[in-house]
Amino acid sequence: MAKAKMLTGCRASAEGAKAAEVEVICSFPIRPYTAIMMELAKMVANGELNAEFIHGEGEHAQLSVVLGACAAGARAFTGSSGVGVTYAMEIYSPMAGGRYPAQMAIADRTLDPPGDFGSEHTDAMCTRDNGWLLGWACSPQEVYDNTLIAYRVGEDHRVMLPQMVCQDGYFISHIPDKVVLGEQSQVKEFLPPYRPISPLSLTHPVSHGPQIRPDQGAPMDAQRAQTFLAVPKVIEEATADFGRIFGRNYDPFVEQYKLADAEIAFFIMGAHANTARAAVDRLRKQGVKVGMARLRWVRPWPTHQLAAALGHVKAIGVVETSTSYGGAMRGGNLIHELRASLYDLDDRPLVTSFMGGLGGETIWPADFDHMAKVLTQAVKEKKVRNYVQWLGM
Amino acid sequence: MAKELPGYGTIDVPKDRVVPFGAVTPAPVCVQNMFQTSNWRIVRPVKDDEKCTRCLICYLSCPDACWVYKEEEDVMEWVNNFCKGCQICIQECPSGALTAAPELDFPDGVVRLDKPF
């Protein structure tokens, strides 16, 4: 077994791209994800990675370049943070609709209110309805692993969709942690070469990205939705294969931490899950029956898996690290989808949400104590007092 | 035994409505008939062969390659199914041979079609 190295999330992401032998990379600077491109630029310059490294003139260009590269049959890689992610907004839907399985690494950053470097999931969450596969890692190791898993799922011919591999800015992207890199033989066994379906070709010319008529729009949408019905099985297969080959096993959709006998639970994704786990351990020592469910994929959303994992819990606190101003619960977006996932259960849990980790703030262990108190109270009163509460406000 | 939750159902796109995967099609030799784009036109260019000098400026200026020079008959031919009615050719024609006519004036005008082609 290879030795663990201390790597940041950005370096782990670059190592993942290198292991996947990406052929085209397109960069544009914005912190904190920039360090991924700095690492990749070094790898290309040092001859460790044989890839075309293109400087985009903005994020819109970055996405357009990888779309073209993918159309030409190359495994393509790009990334961004914060307002960079939203600047490229136009390209997300055409890229998924045209079935270009490129990958985008996101190191989360707050959208400008104005100008904040801190981490917040709102940037990539904005793109969630554009047909990409979207998931969060909670450690540099998982960033590396998800990079490979996402390529494998996205390039599967049952899927053929672009992927966003997200990590919290700074908390994951800039804090080194132990990472075991895969052997090239393991990567080769796990990730077959990218096989495009109808690439641009001089000998078999094709048209990509045509104008379609309104009556062709609905079937096109239906076919994209149909693909998403097939994705969960591919994710399950890929995650199981990953565990077999690399020896690191993940629950494909939801990490379940001490949930089996839990009465209350935190529902969370990304970096702050690490604090949540420690908080669960500490609260359990005090006799609180608490657990944690950590979401690994936002798209496709694991409706049934969440109902199975959380259905028996009495009260759930959704830790939102993104905003949905004016949304149904006036907090973030995860609570909407979690509540919808649990709605059909006969004895559904109480669900409330906590706005935390916004603008790059830390969610402290004491915050989890507070959340546990609110949840315990909800169980006692058999109702939640509010849909949302802002931590520290 | 836990209650069975609703599923996602199935999606069956009728065979005659299936769009090629990713809307990628074999490149056409001349015209791409699968995706025709003139159904939002409200006017079309009408040419006067007497005034037309066959200078080919319409051919050069059309963004959708909707003017073709027919060598045998020595006339310019207009491509109905792809002209979006942008009128650039009318603006550019140096001899005033092109005029804009409303689609309603034509029995096959796109505004009269129940279905787009």
Side-chain angles (χ1 to χ4, degrees), chain A residues 78 98 110 123 151 165 272 303 325 358:
Chain A
T78 188
T110 311
D123 52 2
Y151 265 129
V165 175
H272 302 291
T303 311
Y325 299 115
L358 299 175

Side-chain angles (χ1 to χ4, degrees), chain B residues 30-84:
Chain B
C30 182
V31 289
Q32 171 60 281
N33 282 317
M34 197 170 290
F35 300 111
Q36 296 179 353
T37 51
S38 63
N39 58 328
W40 60 74
R41 182 176 70 217
I42 53 169
V43 293
R44 68 171 72 171
V46 175
K47 69 184 161 84
D48 180 343
D49 280 332
E50 296 296 309
K51 286 187 185 165
C52 173
T53 62
R54 281 55 160 179
C55 68
L56 301 188
I57 282 178
C58 54
Y59 162 82
L60 288 173
S61 60
C62 178
D64 282 298
C66 291
W67 284 108
V68 181
Y69 177 56
K70 287 276 177 194
E71 215 166 349
E72 320 81 67
E73 299 126 67
D74 183 35
V75 288
M76 297 306 297
E77 191 181 71
W78 175 66
V79 182
N80 175 15
N81 286 355
F82 291 91
C83 171
K84 300 186 176 93

Side-chain angles (χ1 to χ4, degrees), chain A residues 127-148:
Chain A
T127 72
R128 72 190 179 281
D129 296 328
N130 282 273
W132 284 50
L133 307 180
L134 174 66
W136 262 265
C138 79
S139 66
Q141 180 71 69
E142 198 180 356
V143 170
Y144 175 82
D145 297 348
N146 282 2
T147 304
L148 298 174

